[in-house]
Every structure is written in C-alpha cells, then in structure tokens.
C-alpha cells in the first residue's frame, strides 16, 4: 500500500551563508579520441573519486601507482596530504566520451546525507535524474555542541537545486533552508538563501526577487549576490526535532519558492520568495548525476551539518542526530535512490563527523571514517504501542504513544477515520478526541514503501465527572470552615486539592480549616480524576470576630413567686444568633423566670451564632421562702381603762432583708421602720384594729392583724365608788356622832 503517504504532497505545493564551494567537486567534460583532462587537486589526506563515462577511459592519479581502465568506478585513495593531479584520458575508445567526475578529500566537508544523482553498486557508478516539486528534510537531534575559535555556531542545511526552463534557455538556483544553532546558548533560528547557479559568480537582481528578505552582496575580488532572510532566535530543548520544507511552483511572474518548517503539527511557511523570470516553461527541483549547473556546481540535494555561516569549518564537541529526506511531487513521495555522506555545494563544513545507516534513517555523530557511500541497509519495519490512556473522560483527548522504527520513514498512522504523519523514528504521540463508551481500536501504521503494522488498543471513555461543593462561606475566628466535595462519573480514583490564598491546605474531599485571623479569604477547590479531567471552583470566605454576649440577671436572689429577669446583648460574630436558656438543665427559653420553691437554681444561657461559635454564661440563683412575721403583742391598761395601750415587737424569718415594718391602727399608718421592737401605742376606747406588716427587699409582705377592745374597768370603778360611798357614810356617821 504505497498511496497513503500521498498526503505529504498536500503539505508542500543578516547572516549570510558563503558563496557555495566544493569540498568534493564535480567536473563534467567531453573528451574526443586521444584527448585527456588533467585536474589538479589538493587533499588534507585521502582522496575520494566517483567517475562515470559513457565509454571506457583511462584513469590515473599522477605521482601515484593508481590507474585503471573503466567506464565507471568509485574509490577512496588513502593518500597523504599534498597536491596531486587526476588524469582522465580517452585513449581507449574511438568515440567522444562524456565524463562526469566527483573528487575531493572528503574532510573537512558538510557531513550528513546527500543525493548526487549517482548509484554506487559493485564498484560501478550509475547516474540518474530525479525531478520533484518539494523536498522534506527531517532531523532528530539529541545533542549538539560545536566550536570554531570563539564561535559556538553550527548549522543544519537542507539544500537543493532549482531548475528553470525558459524559451531563452535554462537557469539554475541553489535553494537553502537552514537551521543555525548557537550551541552554547541552546538557541536557533531559520535562515533561507537563494543563489544563482546559472553562472559564476552568483548574480541576483534585487528588483527581480521578492520575499521577506533582501539581496546582499559578498566578496571583494569576485563579488556575488544572494537573497537571504532570517527569523528570530528560539529556545532549544532536547531532543530537538526539526522538519524543513522547500517547495516550488510556477506562477505567471516566474517561480514561487516556499521555505518552511514544522512547528508541532503545524507547517510554518516563514518565507515565500518570488523569482521573476519571463518566458518560463517549467520549473522543478532537480538531482542530476549526468550534468552540472551553469556555474559548474552539482545538481545535488543535501541535508548536512557544517559551520554556522561564511564557509566556517566547525569542530563538533558532540553530535548525536538522525537524518533523512524525501522528495515530493504532484503524484508521489520519493526516496533518494542513493546517498553519500558529504554535501557537494555547501560551503560550511565540519571536520570530525561521519554518517551511518540506522533503523531506516541515517545517524550522524562525532568521529572519522573512510566511507565512499552510505550503504542501503534494510531494517525491519516495527511498530508497537508504548503507552496510552486506558480510561479517559468525554471531551478529553486521548494520547497514544507509538514506537515506530525501521522500514522507510516518514510513516502514516491511521486510527479510526483519523490519519497522522509521523516524520520521526522512535516514539510518536497521537492525539485525538474519541467518542464515549468502551472501544476496541485498530491502529494501522504504514511506512513509505507501503509496509503495514496493525496494532490494537482498548479504550474506555467515561462521561465527564460531576462535582458539587458545599461550603460554609462565613465563619468566626476559631471555628473551622467545613467544605465537602461530592464527585460522580468520570474516571476513578479522584484527586482533590484545596487552596487558601494559593496555599495548599488539604487533599481530601472534606476540608476543615481553622482561620486564626479576621478577614476575607479565597478558597480554591481543584478536582482531578484519573484521566486528568480537571474542574476548578472558587469561593470567597469571610472570617468574622468571635461573638460577644453580655448576659445579666436582675437579681441572683429572690423569693418564691418573685420572678427574676435575664438581660442579653449580642455583638460581632455571625448573625443570626440562637439562644437557649436552661434551668437546672431543662430548657425553658424564658427571660422572666419565676420560682415556685425555695432553693439554689442553676441558670445557664447558651448563645450560638450562625458559624457555630458558642458562648455560655452560668448563673446561680438563690430562692428564699416568703417572709414570715411573728409579732409579740403586749397590751397595757389602768385602773379605770382596760387595754388602754399595746406594745408591739416583730420578728421576721424568710424573705430577703432588709425588712420594712409598717403598723396600722384602724387602717391608719402610724409606724414605718426597719425594725419593730417594743413599739407602744395608745388605744382608743372601743375596738382597735392593729395591723403589723413586714415587707422584704423584694416587696414580699407578711402581716398580722389584731383586734383590741379598749373599755372602762366598771368593776374597779364600782368598788371604788362603793368604797367612796362607804367612806362618805362613815364620815357622815362619825360627824353625826360628834
């Protein structure tokens, strides 16, 4: 199944880099019979040769014992550093021979992967041509550290050649989509360049090329012009995944070149460059192993590491990266037929990197080698689910991590009716929103060749959780606030968190928290179920001062039947208040209290405000029996009058002193004092009503009344009268006798 990755085709459709130069140089020439070509070459050590001719030629390296007769070959010659001369002679064939030669010392060189348009197999070289509309370069970088003097810069460059065919002839442009790294600061930016490869040096008319950037000129002896644009710098973290895009299309004005990169799952076309070319017939990106551009440069495509700019050769302290690129045209996605480790047209280089195949891509790391090409190694295509949510809530996205290696990336992952492009070897996380219920999912993973892995995955999607919170939003200092969260549905177990003014104070569904000071506080409740569904609720809580209750009794002593009154005054706390009044433990809820029996009573007042703060006052009340009056009544008289007077003395028991005594005679108050002791009064002839009243301090009275009769003593008067009469008679008798 090779069609799924056609979706890739839908994705495509300052600090200068130096005028391109070759560390491995291309050379294309024609030799008539018995003609030869001498090519001087300097090497830092070792020499790479890739030769193709349409007929047999003689090849030798002057100054060495190396020579051969062949129409094509490739080899690495371990020569010491120095100057040499390559000689290619047409002394074997009687026909004109077209020769394509690539040569150079290899290091330093832009290192990674490059498509020269030649296949190397069994010691022979077979050129090919590849036309396409876009190229995608993919990098997975796990570490990078570079140093060039005091410069910590490095670059990763996706470079390719634009071929333009017009009615007047052909033109070639070198397109560069570059990531520039400042490795000691872990920052990077994107830079694009356009160079004119139609002739050498590069010439660009600023009025004929338009984009976000500008046309610049560099060089003194051989000035050249180029177009460039750079983005701002971004922060970099590891692993660093990068996808670079170059896409071209013809427009009425000429050619439109798109430079882009992948940001997460979104393609960012950061520069769209229009090259105004009249009479255009066609334009495409080209790899051609048979020819060179008008400037003598190779028709190659490269994804290579090197210095940051200006032809710098950079030493890499560390590098661990995986690379690959693919071509995109209107009908398919194409992999390069063959790859070599060194770029041909890139000026920036590295001097200590090498490339090896790895799990369907190519690993670039620090080291040296003598590789003449990168062998194609078939790695088994494998896909497996590393992890994923087994239970989530409705509305949540499901995240499934699939590990894909081998085969030919990029990969296509289908789950249900959703499709995802996985550019990277290793772990890839799928994010999608499933429907509710229990689901058995099938995941199909395809590589670029159409090979398939089928995976199965079970998922439960629960209804979203429902959470209710009951909270007392007003309380007093010292009375804890109580909040209760009740949750249902969602994915258990649940996780609770309570925050007060941003500080975590509880992790249970019930919160009890005691505030130490008055004020207004923010309470935040955060609920999270096991699927990660989160609900947050905010509350405002007011903390009042503790209530103050002033309680008093009208008296703490009273008589039976004489009520006492309870007075209550409330302030502060949280209204409304509830008041409970207990007498000897029994609830009476009366403020005017009457007692029927003497004794000592316990009166308890309990006031509870709405926050539950409780204030208790306890009183003891002594109830005394009513006053009891005892009066000692002593009457007096004389010879003639009986009960002419009376003497009163009163004693009171019970009641509550001080006492007040009142004496009434025939209803008239004649005495008021705090005591009654030996009080004498005269009585009138006749009946006398004498009333003694005692009143205690509470106004309770006790009285005694006496009816006293005052009369003349007739018997005594009669006796006296008789005696007087007898005496008178006696006197008369005596007088008469004389």
């Amino acid at each position: 199944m090779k069609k799924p990755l056609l979706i890739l085709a839908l994705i495509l459709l300052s600090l200068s880099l130096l005028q391109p130069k070759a560390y491995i140089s291309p050379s294309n020439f024609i030799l008539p019979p018995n003609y030869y070509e001498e090519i001087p070459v300097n090497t830092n050590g070792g020499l790479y040769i890739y030769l193709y001719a349409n007929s047999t030629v003689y090849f030798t390296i002057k100054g060495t014992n190396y020579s051969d007769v062949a129409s094509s070959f490739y080899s690495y010659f371990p020569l010491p550093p120095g100057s040499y001369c390559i000689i290619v002679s047409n002394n074997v064939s009687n026909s004109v021979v077209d020769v394509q030669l690539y040569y150079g010392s290899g290091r330093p060189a832009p290192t990674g992967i490059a498509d020269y348009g030649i296949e190397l197999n069994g010691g022979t070289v077979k050129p090919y041509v590849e036309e396409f509309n876009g190229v995608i370069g993919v990098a997975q970088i796990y570490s990078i550290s570079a140093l060039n003097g005091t410069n910590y810069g490095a670059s990763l460059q996706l470079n390719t050649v634009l071929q333009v065919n017009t009615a007047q002839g052909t033109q070639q442009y070198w397109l560069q989509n570059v990531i520039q790294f400042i490795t000691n600061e872990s920052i990077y930016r994107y830079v694009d360049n356009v160079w004119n490869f139609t002739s050498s040096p590069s010439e660009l008319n600023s009025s004929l090329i338009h984009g976000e950037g500008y046309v610049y000129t560099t060089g003194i002896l051989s000035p050249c012009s180029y177009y460039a644009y750079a983005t701002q710098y971004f922060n970099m973290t590891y692993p660093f995944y990068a996808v670079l895009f170059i896409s071209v299309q013809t427009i009425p004005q000429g050619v439109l070149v798109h430079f882009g990169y992948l940001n997460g799952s979104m393609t960012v076309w950061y520069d769209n460059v229009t090259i105004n070319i009249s009479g255009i017939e066609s334009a495409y990106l080209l790899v051609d192993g048979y020819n060179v551009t008008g400037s003598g440069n190779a028709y190659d495509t490269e994804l290579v590491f090197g210095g940051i700019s200006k032809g710098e050769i950079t030493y890499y302290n560390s590098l661990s990266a995986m690379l690959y690129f693919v071509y995109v045209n209107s009908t398919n996605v194409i992999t390069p037929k063959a790859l070599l480790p060194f770029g041909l047209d890139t000026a920036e280089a590295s001097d200590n990197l090498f490339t090896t195949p790895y799990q369907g891509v190519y690993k670039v790391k620090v080291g040296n080698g003598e590789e003449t090409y990168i062998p194609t190694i078939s790695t088994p295509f494998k896909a497996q689910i590393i992890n994923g949510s087994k239970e989530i809530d409705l509305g949540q996205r499901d995240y499934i991590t699939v590990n894909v290696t081998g085969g030919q990336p990029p990969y296509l992952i289908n789950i249900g009716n959703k499709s995802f492009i996985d550019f990277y070897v290793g772990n890839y996380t799928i994010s999608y929103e499933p429907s509710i219920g229990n689901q058995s999912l099938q995941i199909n993973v395809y590589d670029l060749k159409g090979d398939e892995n089928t995976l199965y995955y079970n998922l439960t999607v629960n209804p979203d959780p429902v959470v209710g919170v009951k909270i007392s939003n007003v309380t007093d200092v010292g009375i804890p606030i109580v909040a209760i969260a009740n949750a249902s549905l969602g994915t258990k177990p649940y996780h609770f968190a309570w925050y007060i003014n941003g500080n975590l104070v509880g992790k249970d569904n019930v919160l009890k928290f005691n505030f130490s000071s008055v004020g207004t506080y923010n309470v935040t409740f955060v609920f999270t179920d096991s699927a990660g569904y989160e609900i947050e609720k905010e509350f405002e809580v007011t903390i009042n001062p503790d209530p103050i209750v002033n309680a008093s009794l009208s008296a703490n002593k009273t008589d039976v039947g004489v009520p006492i009154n309870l007075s209550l005054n409330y302030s502060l706390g949280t209204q409304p208040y509830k008041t409970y009044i207990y007498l000897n433990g029994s609830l009476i809820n009366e403020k005017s209290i009457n007692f029927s029996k003497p004794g000592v009573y316990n009166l308890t007042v309990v006031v509870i405000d709405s926050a539950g703060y409780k204030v208790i006052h306890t009183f003891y009340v002594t109830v005394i029996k009513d006053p009891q009056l005892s009066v000692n009544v002593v009457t007096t008289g004389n010879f003639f009058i009986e009960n002419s007077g009376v003497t009163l003395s009163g004693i009171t028991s019970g009641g509550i002193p001080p006492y007040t005594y009142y004496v009434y005679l025939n209803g008239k108050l004649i005495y008021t004092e705090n005591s009654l002791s030996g009080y004498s009064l005269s009585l009138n002839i006749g009946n006398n009503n004498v009333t003694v009243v005692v009143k205690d301090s509470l106004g309770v009275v006790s009285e005694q009344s006496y009816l006293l009769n005052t009369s003349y003593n007739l018997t005594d008067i009669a006796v006296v009268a008789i005696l007087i009469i007898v005496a008178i008679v006696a006197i008369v008798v005596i007088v008469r006798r004389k």
Side-chain angles (χ1 to χ4, degrees):
M1 181 175 180
K2 298 184 179 180
K3 293 296 183 183
L5 283 174
L6 289 180
I7 192 171
L8 279 173
L10 301 177
I11 298 177
L12 290 170
L13 298 186
S14 147
L15 190 60
S16 71
L17 303 172
L18 197 64
Q19 163 73 22
K21 63 181 181 181
Y23 294 94
I24 293 182
S25 302
S27 180
N28 181 267
F29 49 89
I30 295 174
L31 293 177
N34 298 315
Y35 278 73
Y36 65 91
E37 185 83 13
E38 288 190 355
I39 304 167
V41 59
N42 295 315
T43 176
N44 297 321
L47 183 64
Y48 290 88
I49 300 291
Y50 306 91
L51 182 143
Y52 170 79
N54 59 359
S55 186
T56 303
V57 294
Y58 171 78
F59 167 84
T60 186
I61 302 174
K62 189 175 181 179
T64 71
N65 295 324
Y66 296 113
S67 64
D68 198 0
V69 176
S71 61
S72 69
F73 75 91
Y74 59 91
S75 183
Y76 172 76
F77 299 95
L79 301 176
S83 298
Y84 299 88
C85 186
I86 299 171
I87 299 174
V88 181
S89 176
N90 183 9
N91 58 2
V92 180
S93 171
N94 292 322
S95 59
V96 176
V97 178
D98 190 352
V99 179
Q100 181 78 8
L101 178 68
Y102 302 92
Y103 61 93
S105 61
R107 288 183 179 83
T111 305
I113 52 176
D115 183 359
Y116 296 2
I118 56 174
E119 287 186 278
L120 309 178
N121 187 16
T124 63
V125 177
K126 180 182 179 181
Y128 59 87
V129 176
E130 200 77 78
E131 297 178 8
F132 45 97
N133 304 114
V135 58
I136 306 173
V138 180
Q140 297 169 242
I141 301 174
Y142 299 93
S143 68
I144 182 171
S145 175
L147 179 63
N148 180 19
T150 58
N151 180 353
Y152 295 90
S155 70
L156 173 65
Q157 305 190 18
L158 176 64
N159 305 325
T160 191
V161 178
L162 168 62
Q163 175 77 11
V164 180
N165 301 315
T166 72
Q168 294 77 31
T170 63
Q171 299 178 24
Q172 297 83 39
Y173 295 89
W174 180 235
L175 309 180
Q176 297 183 275
N177 193 359
V178 180
I179 305 176
Q180 291 181 331
F181 303 96
I182 307 297
T183 61
N184 63 321
E185 298 181 29
S186 294
I187 58 176
Y188 69 97
R189 70 175 179 177
Y190 297 96
V191 177
D192 63 54
N193 275 195
V194 178
W195 301 81
N196 191 343
F197 266 17
T198 308
S199 60
S200 182
S202 171
E203 294 182 6
L204 284 176
N205 187 333
S206 60
S207 65
L208 299 179
I209 184 166
H210 307 283
E212 297 293 329
Y214 301 94
V215 172
Y216 300 88
T217 300
T218 185
I220 298 176
L221 297 178
S222 180
C224 59
S225 54
Y226 64 95
Y227 170 89
Y229 171 71
T231 69
Q232 66 184 34
Y233 277 100
F234 305 97
N235 293 321
M236 178 177 177
T237 57
Y238 297 104
F240 177 74
Y241 289 177
V243 179
L244 297 172
F245 302 106
I246 300 176
S247 174
V248 298
Q249 65 182 104
T250 58
I251 56 176
Q253 302 95 311
V255 181
L256 180 58
V257 181
H258 305 281
F259 295 98
Y261 61 86
L262 193 66
N263 181 16
S265 60
M266 181 178 67
T267 301
V268 178
W269 299 107
Y270 70 94
D271 197 11
N272 299 291
V273 181
T274 299
I275 306 174
N276 289 15
I277 302 172
S278 61
I280 190 168
E281 295 178 345
S282 62
Y284 45 84
L285 303 176
L286 180 62
V287 169
D288 186 350
Y290 293 99
N291 298 291
V292 293
T293 67
S295 60
N297 293 94
Y299 280 103
D300 75 329
T301 295
E302 312 168 356
L303 184 60
V304 291
F305 286 98
I308 189 170
S309 63
K310 296 183 178 179
E312 288 182 353
I313 299 173
T314 294
Y315 178 85
Y316 280 78
N317 296 313
S318 68
L319 178 67
S320 176
M322 293 190 292
L323 306 177
Y324 74 91
F325 61 78
V326 293
Y327 307 130
V328 179
N329 60 30
S330 58
T331 60
N332 212 341
V333 179
I334 308 162
T335 58
K337 290 184 173 66
L339 293 173
L340 287 89
F342 307 120
L344 290 177
D345 294 329
T346 303
E348 292 72 37
S350 62
D351 56 8
N352 64 330
L353 300 179
F354 76 103
T355 307
T356 57
Y358 180 76
Q359 293 186 352
V361 293
Y362 302 92
K363 180 177 285 189
V364 183
K365 56 185 179 180
V366 172
N368 289 290
E370 298 176 355
E371 66 277 20
T372 54
Y373 69 101
I374 305 174
T376 300
I377 299 176
S378 178
T379 304
F381 173 46
K382 294 181 180 179
Q384 58 180 332
I385 296 175
I386 299 299
N387 55 47
S389 304
K390 300 302 181 185
E391 242 183 310
I392 64 172
D393 299 332
L394 183 64
Q396 285 187 307
R397 300 193 69 82
D398 185 27
Y399 295 89
I400 308 171
T401 299
V402 180
N403 181 269
V404 187
T405 59
Q408 178 61 60
Y411 309 106
L412 180 70
I413 302 176
N414 286 339
I415 178 168
N417 60 353
K418 304 290 184 180
S419 295
F420 306 88
I421 295 177
D422 176 12
F423 285 101
Y424 311 110
V425 173
N427 290 347
Y428 179 78
T429 300
I430 302 167
S431 171
Y432 77 106
E433 189 172 321
S435 57
I436 196 168
N438 296 321
Q439 303 174 31
S440 180
L441 304 176
Q442 179 175 308
I443 302 174
N444 300 101
V445 185
Y446 305 92
D447 75 348
L448 193 57
K449 295 183 293 184
D451 293 339
E452 179 181 0
N453 273 219
T454 301
L455 309 173
Y456 297 95
Y457 175 71
N458 294 321
L459 175 68
T460 298
V461 181
N462 296 314
D464 291 343
V466 176
V467 178
V469 177
K470 183 179 181 181
I471 185 170
S472 51
N473 57 1
V474 179
T475 189
D476 302 333
V477 173
I479 298 296
I481 186 173
V482 178
I484 302 174
N486 294 308
S488 61
L489 305 179
T491 304
K492 296 180 179 181
Y494 305 133
H495 305 282
F496 306 92
W498 301 89
Y499 299 86
I500 294 181
N501 288 352
N503 299 312
L504 180 65
V505 295
K507 291 186 176 181
D508 296 320
N509 70 309
V510 177
L511 172 69
K512 289 185 178 181
F513 188 81
N514 210 330
F515 294 86
S516 60
S517 58
V518 173
T520 300
Y521 296 83
N522 180 269
V523 177
T524 303
F525 168 71
V526 179
F527 165 88
T528 310
D529 72 358
S530 292
Y533 194 102
E534 186 174 292
I535 297 174
E536 183 174 313
K537 294 179 181 290
E538 297 278 347
F539 305 93
E540 188 174 83
V541 175
T542 300
I543 309 302
N544 293 320
D546 294 341
I548 296 175
V549 178
N550 293 316
S552 62
L553 292 177
S554 58
N556 59 3
K557 288 184 180 180
T558 190
D559 298 331
V560 172
V562 178
I564 62 169
N565 295 312
L566 173 66
S567 177
L568 296 173
N569 292 307
Y570 311 90
S571 63
L572 304 179
T574 303
Q575 298 185 27
Y577 311 104
K578 291 183 179 180
T579 303
Y580 303 90
I581 302 172
Y582 299 88
L583 184 63
N584 287 347
S586 297
L587 181 66
I588 59 172
N589 278 354
E590 295 179 3
K591 292 184 179 180
S592 181
I593 306 158
N594 212 329
F595 301 90
S596 61
K597 295 180 181 179
V600 177
Y601 292 83
N602 179 291
L603 182 66
T604 301
V605 179
V606 179
V607 177
I608 303 173
D609 73 354
S610 294
Y613 195 99
K614 185 182 294 185
V615 179
I616 300 175
H617 288 282
T618 300
F619 303 94
Y620 292 94
V621 179
T622 301
V623 179
I624 301 171
K625 67 181 180 178
D626 291 344
Q628 301 294 319
L629 176 63
S630 176
V631 181
N632 182 27
V633 179
V634 178
T635 60
T636 59
N638 54 41
F639 183 81
F640 296 102
I641 299 174
E642 186 177 2
N643 296 332
S644 61
V646 65
T647 299
L648 303 174
S649 295
I651 298 174
T652 301
S653 62
I656 298 175
Y659 306 113
T660 302
Y661 292 88
Y662 304 89
V663 178
Y664 296 86
L665 177 63
N666 295 325
K668 181 180 180 181
L669 179 66
I670 60 172
Y671 180 87
T672 303
E673 295 290 343
N674 289 330
S675 63
L676 182 63
S677 177
Y679 171 65
S680 298
L681 71 155
S682 298
L683 301 176
N684 299 318
I685 298 298
N687 290 325
N688 291 274
N689 190 317
V690 177
T691 301
V692 179
V693 177
V694 64
K695 182 186 293 185
D696 69 1
S697 60
L698 298 180
V700 178
V701 299
S702 179
E703 66 178 54
Q704 297 286 338
S705 293
Y706 304 93
L707 184 62
L708 300 177
N709 185 266
T710 301
S711 61
Y712 293 105
N713 193 341
L714 297 178
T715 302
D716 289 344
I717 294 175
V719 171
V720 171
I722 292 172
L723 291 175
I724 293 173
I725 293 173
V726 170
I728 294 174
V729 171
I731 294 173
V732 171
V733 172
I734 294 173
V735 168
R736 288 178 176 176
R737 286 179 177 178
K738 292 179 174 182

